[in-house]
Amino acid sequence: MKFHVNRDVFSEAVSFVVKLLPQRNPQPILAGVLIEADEAGLSLAAFDYEASARTTIEATVDEPGTILVHGRLLSEIASRLPNAPIQIEVGADEGIVLSCGSARFTLASMPVQEYPAIPEVGGESGLVPAEEFATAISQVAFAASRDDVTPVLTGVQLEVAGTELSLVATDRYRVALRDVAWDGGTIAGDQSTSALIPARTLIEVGKTFTHSGTIQIAFSGSGDREIIAFTAGNKTVTSLLIKGNFPPVRRLFPDQTDHYAVVGTADLAEAVRRVSLVLDRAAPLRFTFTEEGVSMDAAGNEQARATESVDATLVGEEVTLGLNPQYLLEALGAVKSEFTRITFTSSDNANKLSPVLITPQTSGTPESFKYLLQPNLLLR
């Protein structure tokens, strides 16, 4: 194998395919990047049995062939090379020789024959607007659990029905939901599809494809090897789906919203950050909603105390409750609106605290983002 390629194009391609690889992999072979060179150019791919990334770029190929090289090391080298074309070839001792300007690196070749086959993309597909989809991921994925004890809660549930695609995530204490437009193409309009995707993989998809125009999403595979594929331009990411039943959290969202407060998003977020400085870790922050506004009260173990008030409009009775300040801040960051509506839901169980519903406060348009947060017990 021997080829010449633009430094910036090659560096960006290698960086893309190694992003999804875990920092430490029990199988060294999976730390590699597979590079195939032929008359069409270069194909670069990485795969760890759960997620894969593949891209194609232009290159001048003198001798076609396939090599496997340590991905993160190659990415580090490529990002620091001088501004000159890169030449890569297989040396006489089967080592991989990379030259760029006066820089020269010799890297160990990994056995291509031991590398697993990259998943092929097929099945039914549709299109979503890339920027809107990336925003939706950022509004939902943070609510997924980080505890691997319950794998289904570490994922984001993607649901397709008609012309709408929904993203849902929960960690038992909160639920985030966002809808985006879906163009199913030839897929029947009344057909529904769902896929449970690892949140970590989906976050990388959002970061990578934000400015890609549209993203094609395809569902394929069966049984224990069901996968979902995201493609935009010359890049494709696939992910193995999480097996299991995602909890039916949609039913938790209330229909009636006649008891709520409207508050400036930035004002509330800044006040919460200040007041919660004195709180012990994981302690709830006390909120009191009245006609005059919303007041916050925090007390820590070091005899520190903080209070602050923010203007708010309240519809309905006064309310005092405790909320996890970090969970609330993440919701306010996801609202993407100047004003936030905090709705106080009711429960049939008098001994159980009812969750609060957090949505953007906009006029006349249905809310595409909803966030449900469970209050904490306040010690009187």
Side-chain angles (χ1 to χ4, degrees):
M1 170 193 269
K2 183 178 180 181
F3 63 84
H4 298 80
V5 64
N6 177 278
R7 182 205 65 170
D8 293 339
V9 172
F10 184 74
S11 177
E12 193 274 337
V14 177
S15 174
F16 160 68
V17 296
V18 302
K19 276 181 183 176
L20 291 174
L21 292 178
Q23 293 290 343
R24 292 181 178 83
N25 203 308
Q27 300 184 50
I29 194 74
L30 299 182
V33 166
L34 189 70
I35 303 177
E36 299 177 80
D38 56 30
E39 62 277 1
L42 292 186
S43 170
L44 296 89
F47 181 41
D48 68 354
Y49 288 113
E50 293 187 359
S52 78
R54 173 183 282 174
T55 185
T56 56
I57 57 175
E58 293 182 355
T60 301
V61 178
D62 302 319
E63 298 177 21
T66 303
I67 58 174
L68 185 65
V69 61
H70 193 283
R72 294 197 183 278
L73 177 58
L74 183 61
S75 180
E76 290 283 336
I77 292 171
S79 67
R80 288 169 170 78
L81 290 172
N83 188 14
I86 294 174
Q87 174 183 293
I88 292 181
E89 62 182 323
V90 177
D93 60 353
E94 297 302 313
I96 298 166
V97 180
L98 183 155
S99 305
C100 182
S102 61
R104 179 183 171 90
F105 293 84
T106 301
L107 306 175
S109 176
M110 304 171 75
V112 174
Q113 64 275 15
E114 295 181 16
Y115 199 70
I118 307 296
E120 293 297 326
V121 179
E124 297 175 333
S125 65
L127 300 174
V128 292
E131 189 169 352
E132 187 178 358
F133 186 62
T135 299
I137 292 171
S138 71
Q139 290 178 298
V140 171
F142 66 84
S145 175
R146 294 167 179 80
D147 187 351
D148 291 333
V149 173
T150 312
V152 293
L153 298 186
T154 65
V156 175
Q157 177 85 338
L158 186 151
E159 301 170 351
V160 173
T163 59
E164 195 170 76
L165 179 149
S166 300
L167 297 174
V168 191
T170 183
D171 61 2
R172 289 195 182 95
Y173 307 104
R174 53 190 173 161
V175 183
L177 167 67
R178 171 68 202 271
D179 300 322
V180 297
W182 166 260
D183 179 2
T186 58
I187 299 178
D190 59 350
Q191 185 172 337
S192 61
T193 305
S194 64
L196 187 54
I197 309 159
R200 172 181 172 271
T201 303
L202 199 59
I203 289 169
E204 287 299 335
V205 168
K207 291 177 181 177
T208 300
F209 294 148
T210 302
H211 305 294
S212 301
T214 57
I215 300 173
Q216 181 182 23
I217 302 177
F219 306 86
S220 63
S222 60
D224 292 335
R225 297 302 299 178
E226 285 186 291
I227 66 170
I228 188 169
F230 304 90
T231 302
N234 64 339
K235 295 183 175 70
T236 297
V237 171
T238 72
S239 175
L240 186 67
L241 301 186
I242 299 173
K243 305 302 292 183
N245 296 319
F246 193 74
V249 293
R250 279 181 176 274
R251 65 186 184 187
L252 301 176
F253 288 93
D255 294 325
Q256 299 298 325
T257 56
D258 52 1
H259 184 197
Y260 62 87
V262 177
V263 62
T265 306
D267 291 342
L268 181 59
E270 290 170 6
V272 170
R273 287 191 187 96
R274 282 190 292 267
V275 174
S276 61
L277 288 173
V278 303
L279 277 178
D280 299 321
R281 187 178 180 184
L285 177 59
R286 182 190 295 266
F287 292 82
T288 302
F289 293 86
T290 67
E291 292 181 358
E292 284 74 40
V294 53
S295 61
M296 287 145 276
D297 189 344
N301 281 339
E302 302 299 325
Q303 297 185 335
R305 192 178 187 97
T307 60
E308 188 166 347
S309 298
V310 174
D311 290 340
T313 301
L314 177 65
V315 176
E317 300 177 354
E318 295 184 357
V319 179
T320 297
L321 46 75
L323 298 173
N324 181 306
Q326 185 56 40
Y327 286 0
L328 178 60
L329 285 172
E330 289 175 332
L332 295 175
V335 163
K336 313 292 185 188
S337 174
E338 183 180 0
F339 294 96
T340 295
R341 175 183 290 213
I342 301 175
T343 301
F344 311 103
T345 67
S346 58
S347 171
D348 296 333
N349 187 346
N351 298 318
K352 185 178 180 181
L353 294 169
S354 301
V356 295
L357 175 65
I358 299 170
T359 56
Q361 173 68 10
T362 53
S363 57
T365 57
E367 299 306 339
S368 61
F369 171 70
K370 300 177 182 179
Y371 181 92
L372 210 58
L373 176 58
Q374 182 65 33
N376 299 67
L377 280 172
L378 288 171
L379 300 176
R380 300 293 179 185

